[in-house]
């Protein structure tokens, strides 16, 4: 019984297929692929099946033909294992039942055209998906390569970047790469938003190489584009209001609070009373795919929050408002950090506990005994298991040629999870 052969095809069609591979196509009893791929072989006289008629149906037909001893060839774009059908068929049919013969992928061709390495690029597909996540990818990666589709055009991607105020990047679009009518070019975000492009294209977005950009770029104050921020970013790295020692969750408290939140890849986090956004910004850099939604009531702090989000290139979505008003627009959270309640503790806990996903955590920072009591009792009364950590921090300060310690106000870190999930799950 011959394996199902999955063959990658480039935009140059049949001409780019090696002779031995072309013989497999010509001799196949069943030829499967997109209509565009099938059109590359008009002389083929056997049975054809377009995957547009239904992928699950195609898999059933492929498996049936294979079991009948018929030779099956599946045509795919570029490398079938790169956002393609290769992995899907290997999983459905069994890896021992398939052979994969890749062509050069469109992303490889794109980076060949711009003459840059691509091992450091963030790779993603927006085929059949919303383009809004592209904004977060661009903010958190210096170089992003996107496989697109008819519904996620370069123009639509550029308009999403425009709407989010991201303009310190340049956009490369490679159209019909490898075909006789190939066209490539670099565009500003504004230009790409207005252009029409061929349906077959690849988009590469990178931070501008000329040092130009928006106000956000100027705010970086000489910081390297490739700056690596370790866990526990220095307080002074954040834009902040500075009565006394700055309205910010201090580095030591921030790190412990993040540990209590159990940030993992892909989680949704709420940062309530975000102020400078330091906790949410740190959380967004701890694992891949973390999405942070922040809310802050003070307009002056919102301006610093905006500047910090742009400076650190982290996927933090923020709004100006007083929680719990406004939280209805946020997706349900896996982690909730409460840095301020604006005197609405009970209302806030109602919403947070009700919408917290299974296995999620709520962490409240309290600076007063009254807020500590409200948080602990409020969470327990809502069926949460609660523990409290008291953080007392003092930092060294020079005094002439000597050193003294300066103490910060103590902070109570209240950590809550569902009572049924609390047994045997202590920190330590």
């Amino acid at each position: 019984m011959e394996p199902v052969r999955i063959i990658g095809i480039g935009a140059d069609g049949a001409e780019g297929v090696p002779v031995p591979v072309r013989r497999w196509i010509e001799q196949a009893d069943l030829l499967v692929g997109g209509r565009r791929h099938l059109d590359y072989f008009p002389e083929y006289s056997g049975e054809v099946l377009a995957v547009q008629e239904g992928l699950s149906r195609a898999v059933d037909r492929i498996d049936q033909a294979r079991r009948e001893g018929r030779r099956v060839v599946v045509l795919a774009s570029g490398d079938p294992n790169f956002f393609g059908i290769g992995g899907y068929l290997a999983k459905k049919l069994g890896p021992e039942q398939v052979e994969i013969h890749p062509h050069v992928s469109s992303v490889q061709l794109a980076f060949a055209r711009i003459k840059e390495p691509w091992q450091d690029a963030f790779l993603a597909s927006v085929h059949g998906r919303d383009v809004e996540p592209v904004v977060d990818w661009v903010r958190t990666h210096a170089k992003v390569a996107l496989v697109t589709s008819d519904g996620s055009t370069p123009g639509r991607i550029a308009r999403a970047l425009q709407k989010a105020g991201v303009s310190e990047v340049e956009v490369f679009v490679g159209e019909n790469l490898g075909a006789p009518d190939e066209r490539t070019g670099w565009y500003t975000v504004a230009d790409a938003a207005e252009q029409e492009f061929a349906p077959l294209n690849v988009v590469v977005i990178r931070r501008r190489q000329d040092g130009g950009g928006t106000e956000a770029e100027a705010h970086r104050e000489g910081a390297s584009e490739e700056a690596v921020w370790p866990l526990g970013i220095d307080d002074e790295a954040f834009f902040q209001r500075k009565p006394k020692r700055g309205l910010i969750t201090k580095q030591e408290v921030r790190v412990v609070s993040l540990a209590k939140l159990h940030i993992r890849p892909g989680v949704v986090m709420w940062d309530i009373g975000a102020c400078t956004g330091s906790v949410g910004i740190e959380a967004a850099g701890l694992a891949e795919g973390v999405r942070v939604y922040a809310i802050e009531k003070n307009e002056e702090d919102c301006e610093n929050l905006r500047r910090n989000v742009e400076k650190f290139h982290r996927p933090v979505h923020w709004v100006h408002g007083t929680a719990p008003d406004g939280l209805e627009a946020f997706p349900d959270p896996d982690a909730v950090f409460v840095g301020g309640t604006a005197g609405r503790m009970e209302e806030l806990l109602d919403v947070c506990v009700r919408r917290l996903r299974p296995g999620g955590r709520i962490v409240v920072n309290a600076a007063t005994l009254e807020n500590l009591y409200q948080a602990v009792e409020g969470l327990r009364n809502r069926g949460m298991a609660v523990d409290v950590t008291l953080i007392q921090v003092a930092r060294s300060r020079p005094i002439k040629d000597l050193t003294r310690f300066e103490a910060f106000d103590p902070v109570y870190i209240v950590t809550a999870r569902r009572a049924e999930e609390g047994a045997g799950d202590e920190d330590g």
Side-chain angles (χ1 to χ4, degrees):
M1 186 182 300
E2 291 191 21
V4 174
R5 292 190 170 96
I6 307 170
I7 296 172
I9 305 289
D12 51 355
E15 292 182 6
V17 178
V19 172
V21 175
R22 185 156 185 164
R23 288 201 190 100
W24 289 334
I25 296 172
E26 293 167 349
Q27 295 169 4
D29 299 307
L30 173 63
L31 187 62
V32 182
R35 292 191 179 92
R36 176 171 59 86
H37 301 126
L38 296 172
D39 287 345
Y40 289 143
F41 303 93
E43 72 284 358
Y44 176 76
S45 58
E47 180 185 357
V48 298
L49 177 62
V51 293
Q52 283 89 347
E53 296 175 19
L55 192 54
S56 60
R57 176 175 177 269
V59 172
D60 291 342
R61 184 70 190 96
I62 290 167
D63 192 39
Q64 179 186 1
R66 180 187 63 82
R67 293 178 183 279
E68 293 170 351
R70 304 180 71 196
R71 291 167 293 192
V72 181
V73 169
V74 179
L75 305 178
S77 295
D79 183 349
N81 275 337
F82 185 68
F83 297 112
I85 199 172
Y88 179 80
L89 288 180
K91 181 179 179 181
K92 291 293 184 180
L93 303 176
E96 69 284 354
Q97 304 299 334
V98 302
E99 282 183 3
I100 299 176
H101 301 270
H103 195 276
V104 176
S105 75
S106 56
V107 170
Q108 283 178 288
L109 287 173
F111 279 98
R113 300 298 185 261
I114 65 177
K115 302 174 179 63
E116 283 191 18
W118 59 293
Q119 70 271 6
D120 57 341
F122 177 82
L123 310 176
S125 170
V126 287
H127 181 74
R129 301 177 184 176
D130 188 33
V131 299
E132 295 305 318
V134 174
V135 174
D136 293 340
W137 300 336
V138 170
R139 280 177 170 159
T140 53
H141 298 85
K143 191 186 299 179
V144 174
L146 302 172
V147 179
T148 68
S149 68
D150 290 348
S152 54
T153 63
R156 189 173 171 209
I157 292 167
R159 287 190 289 275
L161 294 173
Q162 242 182 353
K163 182 180 178 182
V166 178
S167 59
E168 69 276 16
V169 296
E170 49 192 354
V171 180
F172 171 85
V173 181
E175 305 170 72
N176 300 322
L177 291 170
D181 58 345
E182 173 182 308
R183 187 175 75 141
T184 63
W186 284 101
Y187 304 86
T188 65
V189 170
D191 286 344
E194 300 298 325
Q195 295 280 336
E196 293 290 334
F197 297 95
L200 292 178
N201 64 75
V202 173
V203 175
V204 177
I205 304 168
R206 71 181 182 192
R207 295 186 194 152
R208 284 175 54 172
Q209 307 293 298
D210 59 7
T214 61
E215 180 189 6
E217 197 70 11
H219 283 323
R220 296 181 62 83
E221 294 183 344
S224 166
E225 282 289 346
E226 303 303 324
V228 176
W229 300 99
L231 175 64
I233 299 172
D234 288 342
D235 295 345
E236 294 305 314
F238 293 94
F239 297 106
Q240 58 187 286
R241 282 195 292 146
K242 288 198 171 182
K244 296 184 179 179
R245 289 170 293 210
L247 294 174
I248 186 173
T249 301
K250 301 297 187 291
Q251 179 191 57
E252 296 84 356
V253 176
R254 192 186 327 132
V255 169
V256 175
S257 297
L258 289 167
K260 297 291 185 181
L261 284 165
H262 281 202
I263 301 299
R264 305 173 304 283
V267 305
V268 171
M269 175 187 153
W270 289 357
D271 186 356
I272 297 173
C275 197
T276 63
S278 63
V279 175
I281 285 168
E282 286 248 33
L286 289 179
E288 191 68 43
V290 175
R291 291 179 292 150
V292 176
Y293 295 82
I295 186 167
E296 169 54 44
K297 69 181 179 65
N298 184 282
E299 190 170 351
E300 186 178 349
D301 287 327
C302 280
E303 174 59 17
N304 285 324
L305 172 58
R306 179 191 68 78
R307 296 170 74 192
N308 285 324
V309 169
E310 291 179 338
K311 173 179 178 177
F312 291 96
H313 292 283
R314 296 285 171 82
V316 177
H317 305 261
W318 63 272
V319 296
H320 179 205
T322 303
D325 300 339
L327 296 180
E328 66 277 0
F330 293 175
D332 290 348
D334 303 283
V336 177
F337 176 75
V338 181
T341 65
R344 301 177 70 178
M345 180 77 78
E346 291 296 320
E347 299 171 74
L348 193 55
L349 294 183
D350 275 341
V351 174
C352 292
V353 171
R354 175 171 52 82
R355 294 189 55 192
L356 188 68
R357 290 175 175 172
R361 289 190 167 205
I362 299 172
V363 170
V364 181
N365 278 189
T368 68
L369 291 174
E370 289 77 11
N371 278 348
L372 171 65
Y373 176 80
Q374 273 193 297
V376 171
E377 288 302 300
L379 288 164
R380 283 177 176 164
N381 290 340
R382 290 166 175 81
M384 306 294 281
V386 178
D387 63 65
V388 181
T389 301
L390 172 61
I391 299 290
Q392 295 179 294
V393 174
R395 293 179 184 170
S396 63
R397 290 286 184 268
I399 177 170
K400 294 185 178 180
D401 57 345
L402 302 174
T403 303
R404 67 179 178 86
F405 279 90
E406 183 177 66
F408 291 89
D409 294 335
V411 176
Y412 303 95
I413 299 178
V414 181
T415 306
R417 53 200 177 277
R418 303 285 180 195
E420 62 270 20
E421 298 165 357
D425 189 29
E426 295 300 320
D427 291 293

